[in-house]
Amino acid sequence: MPHTLLLADDSLTIQRVIELTFADEDVQVVAASDGDQAIAIIDRSAPDIVLADVGMPGRNGYEVARYIKQTPRLAHIPVILLTGAFEPIDQAQPQWPCATGCWRNRSSPSW
């Protein structure tokens, strides 16, 4: 049975890149375009891992991660927060209770 990766990102380009990255792996990529949609998907069927954009519409990646980590039946799910090259990481957000890690996309165009 494949692993399920929930990608919560409003960028169709990022969604496609992640889908292509895992196309030959035993991973089913489920995409959500905003945080509210991501939480609805998580509540229906818990994924094995979540990648969440910190700057998406609706609930942002921090809020999605916090929801997961504060819900006992979901708290075991690893959450990786994604940021763009010019998107700052919000240092005011408490990092330890909400995310497993943070990945800054440094391959974004510099224009």
Side-chain angles (χ1 to χ4, degrees):
M1 180 147 93
H3 297 285
T4 302
L5 180 153
L6 173 63
L7 172 63
D9 197 308
D10 58 320
S11 167
L12 295 177
T13 302
I14 295 297
Q15 289 180 13
R16 187 67 181 135
V17 167
I18 296 298
E19 288 170 357
L20 289 171
T21 300
F22 291 100
D24 294 331
E25 304 297 328
D26 195 24
V27 176
Q28 176 189 6
V29 177
V30 177
S33 295
D34 63 53
D36 297 317
Q37 183 183 26
I39 288 174
I41 292 169
I42 292 165
D43 282 339
R44 280 195 310 270
S45 179
D48 296 302
I49 188 168
V50 173
L51 303 181
D53 179 17
V54 299
M56 67 185 154
R59 293 188 189 183
N60 63 36
Y62 296 110
E63 293 168 309
V64 170
R66 190 172 298 110
Y67 175 81
I68 291 168
K69 295 305 178 183
Q70 291 179 347
T71 304
R73 68 181 179 79
L74 304 172
H76 68 281
I77 299 172
V79 178
I80 307 296
L81 296 175
L82 306 174
T83 68
F86 301 106
E87 198 169 26
I89 297 171
D90 188 348
Q91 298 298 330
Q93 293 287 339
Q95 300 299 317
W96 66 266
C98 68
T100 306
C102 187
W103 178 64
R104 183 180 297 258
N105 180 3
R106 299 212 183 263
S107 63
S108 294
S110 58
W111 39 274

